[in-house]
Amino acid sequence: MTSSVHRVAVLALDGVYPFELGIPNRVFGSADGRYEVRTCTVDGEPVRTSADYSIAVAHDSSILDTADTVVLPACDIRMTLDGTLPQPVRDALARIRPGARLVAICAGSFVAAAAGLLDGRPATTHWRQADLFRRTFPRVRLDPDVLYVDDDDVLTSAGAAAGIDVCLHLVRRDHGSAVANSVARRCVVPPWRDGGQAQYIEQPVPPVTSAGTAAARQWALENLHLPLTVDEFALRAQMSKRTFARRFSEEVGMSPGRWLIQQRLFRARHLLESTDMTVDRIAGEVGFATGTSLRQHLHEAIGVSPQAYRRTFARTLAPA
């Protein structure tokens, strides 16, 4: 990111979902002028939404020529189901300049895939449309279990509110945790959410008399520096280890062990960004046995070393 304002163009296509359409402006627009967000349609004419109204915009797709980030909100996917796009839409997407980022929210991933922009790449979409997506776009490496996928210059997110997650992630990637957390507070949303889409998939509801794992998770977050085990988790929740693991997976969408590593990495990344602690000390603060363990887990999660991560984000520690 340079010091200039980052230009975000949002392309509203036929049948656009109003909620997803508004996410980029709400999130990026809350970053104290760091982004300029403009909305367009293919030809600058009004477009119908998925609700009972249409929207009018001030721009046509020519603004994609100079956009640093282009966002495709969820829209009517029927135009993509033969694996292609109407020519005007294809022509509009062809205007995206090399090096620009592409963000597809929810069913916007169908549009990106139909344009051939996801071939051979990892991506996600709403869990309810995962099977249809796989059949229509077999060349895309779909992961329906996550809230969003960051593949450098192409990002895709799951349904609705996951669009907030991916936009906050980009603010964090561009400007660090302090700015992203400030934006999240202004939008009254969490800076990040635990787990993946599995926690939102329709499934039998546990009996109302059964206890959940939320209290145990909160306890773990307050004690990340300890060498926590699943046995301790289960004991805290007053469940057997097997019952706890099953209930935890139902509620969060991942195993307790994987969740714990994720939370430790979240905390470690924050400390790398906001303090000058050594890697070994940060490892101890977040519950990794050694600095080597932290290095290994961080590299597996985001592909960089703690030192490289700190060099990237520690420059943006000015108060939001």
Side-chain angles (χ1 to χ4, degrees):
M1 286 284 296
T2 65
S3 58
S4 61
V5 174
H6 189 98
R7 293 163 295 190
V8 179
V10 184
L11 179 59
L13 298 174
D14 189 53
V16 65
Y17 284 60
F19 180 83
E20 286 87 332
L21 177 64
I23 288 172
N25 189 282
R26 189 68 183 91
V27 174
F28 295 124
S30 298
D32 290 331
R34 291 174 171 88
Y35 300 88
E36 174 191 74
V37 184
R38 296 187 293 174
T39 304
C40 68
T41 60
V42 168
D43 54 9
E45 294 298 314
V47 66
R48 72 178 184 89
T49 72
S50 63
D52 59 343
Y53 55 87
S54 296
I55 60 163
V57 299
H59 306 283
D60 63 23
S61 58
S62 63
I63 69 170
L64 302 183
D65 296 348
T66 57
D68 299 303
T69 294
V70 174
V71 182
L72 301 176
C75 61
D76 189 341
I77 64 173
R78 287 176 293 182
M79 64 177 165
T80 70
L81 295 186
D82 63 354
T84 64
L85 289 171
Q87 193 60 46
V89 177
R90 186 172 290 275
D91 290 343
L93 295 176
R95 305 187 74 142
I96 300 175
R97 64 180 181 83
R101 288 190 304 215
L102 180 70
V103 182
I105 298 176
C106 190
S109 58
F110 278 77
V111 177
L117 301 174
L118 301 182
D119 286 356
R121 306 187 73 149
T124 193
T125 194
H126 195 292
W127 62 266
R128 293 188 66 181
Q129 297 167 333
D131 289 342
L132 176 61
F133 189 98
R134 280 199 183 96
R135 292 195 301 270
T136 310
F137 306 109
R139 290 188 295 275
V140 180
R141 291 155 46 200
L142 184 70
D143 183 353
D145 297 328
V146 296
L147 293 177
Y148 59 84
V149 170
D150 179 345
D151 192 34
D152 191 23
D153 61 334
V154 175
L155 299 93
T156 51
S157 76
I164 299 175
D165 296 316
V166 73
C167 288
L168 279 173
H169 168 72
L170 278 178
V171 174
R172 189 174 189 275
R173 200 174 96 175
D174 291 343
H175 299 289
S177 289
V179 174
N181 291 347
S182 175
V183 169
R185 286 194 297 270
R186 293 177 187 181
C187 296
V188 199
V189 295
W192 60 73
R193 288 190 291 162
D194 299 338
Q197 292 196 72
Q199 60 191 305
Y200 303 106
I201 296 174
E202 294 171 353
Q203 55 189 337
V205 177
V208 295
T209 55
S210 61
T213 64
R217 295 200 305 274
Q218 184 59 40
W219 169 79
L221 290 175
E222 295 169 359
N223 293 277
L224 284 177
H225 59 287
L226 300 176
L228 305 177
T229 66
V230 177
D231 287 334
E232 290 173 295
F233 254 159
L235 182 63
R236 179 67 53 167
Q238 298 183 323
M239 300 179 191
S240 70
K241 183 177 177 180
R242 174 178 292 184
T243 298
F244 178 80
R246 174 176 55 79
R247 190 71 48 74
F248 193 102
S249 182
E250 289 172 350
E251 294 178 8
V252 180
M254 62 177 66
S255 70
R258 181 181 171 192
W259 178 87
L260 191 56
I261 289 173
Q262 184 184 80
Q263 301 312 308
R264 285 176 165 152
L265 287 174
F266 281 146
R267 185 75 56 82
R269 288 165 69 174
H270 173 70
L271 292 175
L272 285 167
E273 295 172 16
S274 60
T275 76
D276 59 359
M277 291 181 186
T278 66
V279 172
D280 285 341
R281 182 178 172 189
I282 290 174
E285 289 284 336
V286 303
F288 287 118
T290 64
T292 299
S293 179
L294 170 56
R295 292 182 183 93
Q296 177 183 346
H297 283 296
L298 188 66
H299 192 274
E300 290 175 354
I302 59 176
V304 299
S305 68
Q307 291 86 351
Y309 186 86
R310 174 170 270 162
R311 283 196 300 269
T312 299
F313 290 106
R315 296 171 300 175
T316 57
L317 296 180

